[in-house]
Every structure is written in C-alpha cells, then in structure tokens.
Amino acid sequence: DAVFETLMDGFLEKNILKEPVKIGNVDFQITEVILDNQLSKWAGHLSVEELIKKDFDSTTVKLRFYTPTLFRSRNEHCRYPIPEKIFSSLLRKFNKYSPQKLDPQIEEKFNKVHIFEKKTKSRRVTMKEFYLEGFIGDVIFQIPQDPELLKAVNVLSEFAFFAGVGYKTTMGLGQTRRVPLNEEEEEL
C-alpha cells in the first residue's frame, strides 16, 4: 500500500500525462492511468491482507499465461508448465516482497499439484543477441485436499497477476493471471 501510494503521488507530482517518462534511454509518453479493473483487465490492486484473508476452497485453478513463460535452472531453460516451478517461482517472490510470509516448507508439497488440462503453445521471443522460448496459453491445475496447500496455491495464483511467473518477468515475460474456469480461451 505504501509503495502504491508513493508511486501514485510521484506520478501526480510529475504530471506524467504531460511530461515524458524516461526509462533507460527511451522516452515514454503516458496517455492514461487506469486503476479500475472494470476498465481494463490489466488494472487492479489488492493488499496482502485482503489476499491472505480471501476464503479459498477451490481445488481447481486456471492460469492464463499471456507472454512467453519459461524457467531457468542452472544453465538450462525449461519451457513447459511444470507446477512445482510455477508455484515455487511465485512463492519466492511473494515471500521476498510481502510483509506476511507463506511457509517456505510448502514448496515441498507443490509436486502434489497436477495439471488437469493444458492448452499451450510455444512462443519465441527474440532479444538483441539471443532468443528465449517459452509457453503461452491456459493451464488448469488440480490441488489435493490439503488445507495448507490449497491456501498457498490459491493465494499464489491470485498473486501471479502482480508478480509474473518464471524467468525475465522484468522484461515482460511470464505475464500471468488467474481466470475463471469457464472463461473461454483468448487468441494469444
């Protein structure tokens, strides 16, 4: 909440709708700031307290991966949706940035989460001197009836919208959000 408030105050003080924002050596002109998720599926905010207090009992979670998602392990890239890698990635980010932590031991149980259904495609992203290959699409996960695991996977699935999943999220990879089970596939 404090970071969000500081960021918004900074935007308003700088009058970002009139002055360009420089990131690296590139100038960006911000034309609109949308905070209401009714106006854009990419807008939203949720406090950690609200997220933790949510009553999660769903044993099935659907995540949509909008940009190529991959994982780095040692010097290799994994470009498939593996539940342990997805939820471990989210757990590390959540515990790094959240004042309320999830038990790190829960990571040992992520291997009990199974893919119920997946509709994914490979996508390649070309960088300046190399390329990365990952997956996009929908994955439905089945979670066993373990209260601690249910809570963790559901919290992390909601958190994915804010954190991204996997490798190079700061470059736009791994943009992910939880979607309702009955929501139709999008053309990605």
Side-chain angles (χ1 to χ4, degrees), residues 42-75:
W42 293 110
H45 54 87
L46 183 67
S47 73
V48 173
E49 291 77 23
E50 291 171 319
L51 179 57
I52 296 288
K53 286 181 184 175
K54 276 186 150 188
D55 187 23
F56 293 115
D57 58 359
S58 178
T59 58
T60 310
V61 168
K62 182 177 183 178
L63 293 179
R64 180 164 293 148
F65 299 87
Y66 287 88
T67 60
T69 303
L70 66 149
F71 305 92
R72 187 170 173 94
S73 181
R74 296 178 198 92
N75 287 333

Short mmCIF file of all heavy atoms in Angstrom, two decimals, residues 42-75:
data_model
loop_
_atom_site.label_atom_id
_atom_site.label_comp_id
_atom_site.label_asym_id
_atom_site.label_seq_id
_atom_site.Cartn_x
_atom_site.Cartn_y
_atom_site.Cartn_z
N TRP A 42 -5.99 -5.42 -17.08
CA TRP A 42 -4.61 -5.28 -16.62
C TRP A 42 -4.49 -4.26 -15.49
O TRP A 42 -3.38 -3.90 -15.10
CB TRP A 42 -3.68 -4.92 -17.77
CG TRP A 42 -3.60 -6.06 -18.72
CD1 TRP A 42 -4.11 -6.13 -19.99
CD2 TRP A 42 -3.02 -7.35 -18.48
NE1 TRP A 42 -3.88 -7.36 -20.53
CE2 TRP A 42 -3.21 -8.13 -19.63
CE3 TRP A 42 -2.37 -7.91 -17.40
CZ2 TRP A 42 -2.76 -9.45 -19.72
CZ3 TRP A 42 -1.93 -9.22 -17.49
CH2 TRP A 42 -2.12 -9.96 -18.65
N ALA A 43 -5.60 -3.78 -14.98
CA ALA A 43 -5.58 -2.86 -13.84
C ALA A 43 -6.07 -3.61 -12.62
O ALA A 43 -6.87 -4.53 -12.71
CB ALA A 43 -6.48 -1.66 -14.12
N GLY A 44 -5.61 -3.18 -11.49
CA GLY A 44 -6.10 -3.77 -10.25
C GLY A 44 -5.11 -3.58 -9.13
O GLY A 44 -3.94 -3.30 -9.34
N HIS A 45 -5.62 -3.68 -7.95
CA HIS A 45 -4.78 -3.63 -6.76
C HIS A 45 -5.44 -4.45 -5.67
O HIS A 45 -6.66 -4.62 -5.65
CB HIS A 45 -4.52 -2.19 -6.31
CG HIS A 45 -5.76 -1.40 -6.09
ND1 HIS A 45 -6.44 -1.39 -4.89
CD2 HIS A 45 -6.47 -0.62 -6.93
CE1 HIS A 45 -7.51 -0.62 -5.01
NE2 HIS A 45 -7.55 -0.15 -6.23
N LEU A 46 -4.63 -4.98 -4.81
CA LEU A 46 -5.10 -5.84 -3.74
C LEU A 46 -4.04 -5.83 -2.66
O LEU A 46 -2.86 -6.05 -2.96
CB LEU A 46 -5.29 -7.26 -4.29
CG LEU A 46 -5.85 -8.34 -3.42
CD1 LEU A 46 -7.31 -8.04 -3.07
CD2 LEU A 46 -5.78 -9.69 -4.13
N SER A 47 -4.42 -5.56 -1.43
CA SER A 47 -3.43 -5.58 -0.35
C SER A 47 -3.12 -7.03 0.01
O SER A 47 -3.91 -7.94 -0.25
CB SER A 47 -3.95 -4.82 0.87
OG SER A 47 -4.95 -5.58 1.53
N VAL A 48 -1.98 -7.22 0.61
CA VAL A 48 -1.58 -8.56 1.05
C VAL A 48 -2.61 -9.09 2.05
O VAL A 48 -2.99 -10.25 2.01
CB VAL A 48 -0.17 -8.55 1.66
CG1 VAL A 48 0.18 -9.89 2.28
CG2 VAL A 48 0.85 -8.17 0.62
N GLU A 49 -3.08 -8.20 2.93
CA GLU A 49 -4.06 -8.61 3.94
C GLU A 49 -5.33 -9.11 3.27
O GLU A 49 -5.89 -10.14 3.66
CB GLU A 49 -4.39 -7.45 4.88
CG GLU A 49 -3.24 -7.06 5.81
CD GLU A 49 -2.15 -6.24 5.12
OE1 GLU A 49 -2.42 -5.59 4.07
OE2 GLU A 49 -1.00 -6.28 5.61
N GLU A 50 -5.80 -8.39 2.25
CA GLU A 50 -7.00 -8.82 1.52
C GLU A 50 -6.77 -10.17 0.84
O GLU A 50 -7.65 -11.03 0.84
CB GLU A 50 -7.41 -7.78 0.48
CG GLU A 50 -7.92 -6.49 1.05
CD GLU A 50 -8.10 -5.40 -0.02
OE1 GLU A 50 -7.22 -5.28 -0.91
OE2 GLU A 50 -9.10 -4.69 0.06
N LEU A 51 -5.60 -10.32 0.26
CA LEU A 51 -5.28 -11.57 -0.43
C LEU A 51 -5.23 -12.75 0.54
O LEU A 51 -5.83 -13.79 0.29
CB LEU A 51 -3.94 -11.42 -1.16
CG LEU A 51 -3.43 -12.63 -1.93
CD1 LEU A 51 -4.44 -13.08 -2.98
CD2 LEU A 51 -2.10 -12.30 -2.59
N ILE A 52 -4.55 -12.58 1.65
CA ILE A 52 -4.42 -13.65 2.64
C ILE A 52 -5.77 -14.00 3.27
O ILE A 52 -6.05 -15.16 3.54
CB ILE A 52 -3.40 -13.26 3.73
CG1 ILE A 52 -2.01 -13.09 3.14
CG2 ILE A 52 -3.40 -14.26 4.88
CD1 ILE A 52 -1.32 -14.36 2.72
N LYS A 53 -6.62 -12.99 3.47
CA LYS A 53 -7.92 -13.21 4.13
C LYS A 53 -8.96 -13.83 3.22
O LYS A 53 -9.99 -14.30 3.69
CB LYS A 53 -8.47 -11.89 4.68
CG LYS A 53 -7.75 -11.42 5.92
CD LYS A 53 -8.37 -10.13 6.43
CE LYS A 53 -7.58 -9.62 7.62
NZ LYS A 53 -8.08 -8.31 8.07
N LYS A 54 -8.71 -13.83 1.90
CA LYS A 54 -9.69 -14.42 0.98
C LYS A 54 -9.96 -15.87 1.36
O LYS A 54 -9.06 -16.60 1.76
CB LYS A 54 -9.19 -14.37 -0.47
CG LYS A 54 -9.45 -13.08 -1.18
CD LYS A 54 -9.05 -13.21 -2.63
CE LYS A 54 -9.91 -12.31 -3.48
NZ LYS A 54 -9.70 -12.54 -4.90
N ASP A 55 -11.21 -16.26 1.24
CA ASP A 55 -11.60 -17.62 1.58
C ASP A 55 -11.45 -18.49 0.34
O ASP A 55 -12.28 -18.47 -0.56
CB ASP A 55 -13.05 -17.64 2.08
CG ASP A 55 -13.45 -18.99 2.61
OD1 ASP A 55 -12.56 -19.76 3.01
OD2 ASP A 55 -14.67 -19.27 2.63
N PHE A 56 -10.36 -19.22 0.28
CA PHE A 56 -10.07 -20.07 -0.87
C PHE A 56 -10.40 -21.53 -0.55
O PHE A 56 -9.88 -22.08 0.42
CB PHE A 56 -8.59 -19.99 -1.26
CG PHE A 56 -8.16 -18.67 -1.79
CD1 PHE A 56 -7.24 -17.90 -1.09
CD2 PHE A 56 -8.65 -18.19 -2.98
CE1 PHE A 56 -6.82 -16.69 -1.59
CE2 PHE A 56 -8.23 -16.97 -3.49
CZ PHE A 56 -7.31 -16.22 -2.80
N ASP A 57 -11.25 -22.12 -1.35
CA ASP A 57 -11.52 -23.54 -1.16
C ASP A 57 -11.51 -24.29 -2.49
O ASP A 57 -11.80 -25.46 -2.55
CB ASP A 57 -12.85 -23.76 -0.43
CG ASP A 57 -14.02 -23.14 -1.17
OD1 ASP A 57 -13.81 -22.52 -2.24
OD2 ASP A 57 -15.16 -23.26 -0.68
N SER A 58 -11.13 -23.59 -3.54
CA SER A 58 -11.13 -24.19 -4.86
C SER A 58 -9.97 -25.17 -5.01
O SER A 58 -8.81 -24.83 -4.77
CB SER A 58 -11.04 -23.11 -5.94
OG SER A 58 -11.00 -23.71 -7.21
N THR A 59 -10.29 -26.38 -5.43
CA THR A 59 -9.25 -27.38 -5.69
C THR A 59 -8.80 -27.37 -7.15
O THR A 59 -7.95 -28.16 -7.54
CB THR A 59 -9.74 -28.80 -5.33
OG1 THR A 59 -10.90 -29.09 -6.09
CG2 THR A 59 -10.05 -28.92 -3.84
N THR A 60 -9.38 -26.46 -7.92
CA THR A 60 -9.01 -26.33 -9.33
C THR A 60 -8.73 -24.85 -9.62
O THR A 60 -9.53 -24.00 -9.28
CB THR A 60 -10.15 -26.82 -10.23
OG1 THR A 60 -10.56 -28.11 -9.79
CG2 THR A 60 -9.69 -26.94 -11.67
N VAL A 61 -7.59 -24.59 -10.23
CA VAL A 61 -7.16 -23.23 -10.53
C VAL A 61 -6.75 -23.17 -12.00
O VAL A 61 -6.03 -24.04 -12.49
CB VAL A 61 -5.95 -22.83 -9.64
CG1 VAL A 61 -5.31 -21.56 -10.12
CG2 VAL A 61 -6.36 -22.73 -8.19
N LYS A 62 -7.22 -22.12 -12.67
CA LYS A 62 -6.86 -21.92 -14.08
C LYS A 62 -6.01 -20.67 -14.20
O LYS A 62 -6.42 -19.59 -13.79
CB LYS A 62 -8.12 -21.78 -14.93
CG LYS A 62 -7.86 -21.62 -16.42
CD LYS A 62 -9.20 -21.57 -17.17
CE LYS A 62 -9.06 -21.48 -18.65
NZ LYS A 62 -10.39 -21.48 -19.31
N LEU A 63 -4.81 -20.84 -14.75
CA LEU A 63 -3.92 -19.71 -15.02
C LEU A 63 -3.78 -19.54 -16.52
O LEU A 63 -3.65 -20.51 -17.26
CB LEU A 63 -2.54 -19.93 -14.40
CG LEU A 63 -2.45 -19.96 -12.87
CD1 LEU A 63 -1.01 -20.21 -12.44
CD2 LEU A 63 -2.97 -18.68 -12.27
N ARG A 64 -3.79 -18.27 -16.93
CA ARG A 64 -3.57 -17.94 -18.34
C ARG A 64 -2.22 -17.23 -18.45
O ARG A 64 -2.00 -16.22 -17.79
CB ARG A 64 -4.69 -17.06 -18.87
CG ARG A 64 -4.50 -16.69 -20.34
CD ARG A 64 -5.77 -16.15 -20.96
NE ARG A 64 -6.76 -17.22 -21.03
CZ ARG A 64 -8.07 -17.02 -20.93
NH1 ARG A 64 -8.55 -15.80 -20.77
NH2 ARG A 64 -8.92 -18.03 -21.00
N PHE A 65 -1.36 -17.76 -19.27
CA PHE A 65 -0.02 -17.23 -19.49
C PHE A 65 -0.06 -16.42 -20.79
O PHE A 65 -0.17 -17.00 -21.87
CB PHE A 65 1.00 -18.36 -19.54
CG PHE A 65 1.06 -19.15 -18.26
CD1 PHE A 65 0.19 -20.21 -18.04
CD2 PHE A 65 1.95 -18.80 -17.27
CE1 PHE A 65 0.23 -20.93 -16.86
CE2 PHE A 65 2.00 -19.52 -16.08
CZ PHE A 65 1.13 -20.58 -15.87
N TYR A 66 0.03 -15.11 -20.68
CA TYR A 66 -0.15 -14.23 -21.83
C TYR A 66 1.13 -14.00 -22.62
O TYR A 66 1.07 -13.78 -23.82
CB TYR A 66 -0.67 -12.86 -21.36
CG TYR A 66 -2.11 -12.89 -20.93
CD1 TYR A 66 -2.47 -13.20 -19.62
CD2 TYR A 66 -3.12 -12.63 -21.83
CE1 TYR A 66 -3.80 -13.23 -19.24
CE2 TYR A 66 -4.45 -12.66 -21.45
CZ TYR A 66 -4.78 -12.97 -20.15
OH TYR A 66 -6.09 -13.01 -19.78
N THR A 67 2.24 -13.97 -21.94
CA THR A 67 3.52 -13.79 -22.63
C THR A 67 4.38 -15.02 -22.37
O THR A 67 4.16 -15.74 -21.39
CB THR A 67 4.25 -12.50 -22.15
OG1 THR A 67 4.50 -12.60 -20.75
CG2 THR A 67 3.42 -11.26 -22.46
N PRO A 68 5.35 -15.28 -23.24
CA PRO A 68 6.14 -16.50 -23.07
C PRO A 68 6.68 -16.65 -21.64
O PRO A 68 7.20 -15.70 -21.06
CB PRO A 68 7.27 -16.34 -24.08
CG PRO A 68 6.66 -15.49 -25.15
CD PRO A 68 5.77 -14.52 -24.42
N THR A 69 6.49 -17.84 -21.12
CA THR A 69 6.90 -18.15 -19.75
C THR A 69 7.88 -19.30 -19.80
O THR A 69 7.66 -20.29 -20.50
CB THR A 69 5.66 -18.54 -18.91
OG1 THR A 69 4.71 -17.47 -18.98
CG2 THR A 69 6.03 -18.81 -17.47
N LEU A 70 8.98 -19.14 -19.07
CA LEU A 70 9.99 -20.18 -19.00
C LEU A 70 10.70 -20.08 -17.67
O LEU A 70 10.53 -19.09 -16.94
CB LEU A 70 10.98 -20.11 -20.16
CG LEU A 70 11.88 -18.90 -20.22
CD1 LEU A 70 13.21 -19.28 -20.86
CD2 LEU A 70 11.24 -17.80 -21.05
N PHE A 71 11.48 -21.08 -17.35
CA PHE A 71 12.19 -21.14 -16.08
C PHE A 71 13.64 -21.44 -16.36
O PHE A 71 13.97 -22.15 -17.30
CB PHE A 71 11.58 -22.22 -15.18
CG PHE A 71 10.11 -22.04 -14.99
CD1 PHE A 71 9.21 -22.67 -15.84
CD2 PHE A 71 9.62 -21.20 -14.02
CE1 PHE A 71 7.86 -22.48 -15.70
CE2 PHE A 71 8.27 -20.99 -13.87
CZ PHE A 71 7.38 -21.64 -14.72
N ARG A 72 14.50 -20.88 -15.54
CA ARG A 72 15.93 -21.12 -15.68
C ARG A 72 16.38 -21.98 -14.51
O ARG A 72 16.13 -21.65 -13.36
CB ARG A 72 16.69 -19.81 -15.71
CG ARG A 72 18.15 -19.99 -16.03
CD ARG A 72 18.79 -18.64 -16.28
NE ARG A 72 20.21 -18.77 -16.43
CZ ARG A 72 20.83 -18.90 -17.58
NH1 ARG A 72 20.14 -18.89 -18.69
NH2 ARG A 72 22.13 -19.00 -17.64
N SER A 73 17.05 -23.06 -14.82
CA SER A 73 17.61 -23.94 -13.81
C SER A 73 19.04 -24.24 -14.20
O SER A 73 19.27 -24.86 -15.25
CB SER A 73 16.78 -25.23 -13.74
OG SER A 73 17.28 -26.09 -12.76
N ARG A 74 19.96 -23.77 -13.40
CA ARG A 74 21.38 -23.82 -13.73
C ARG A 74 21.59 -23.08 -15.05
O ARG A 74 21.23 -21.95 -15.18
CB ARG A 74 21.89 -25.24 -13.72
CG ARG A 74 21.80 -25.88 -12.34
CD ARG A 74 22.28 -27.33 -12.35
NE ARG A 74 21.80 -28.02 -11.17
CZ ARG A 74 20.65 -28.69 -11.11
NH1 ARG A 74 19.88 -28.78 -12.18
NH2 ARG A 74 20.29 -29.27 -10.00
N ASN A 75 22.11 -23.75 -16.06
CA ASN A 75 22.32 -23.07 -17.36
C ASN A 75 21.30 -23.50 -18.40
O ASN A 75 21.51 -23.29 -19.59
CB ASN A 75 23.73 -23.35 -17.88
CG ASN A 75 24.77 -22.58 -17.09
OD1 ASN A 75 24.46 -21.53 -16.53
ND2 ASN A 75 25.97 -23.09 -17.03
#
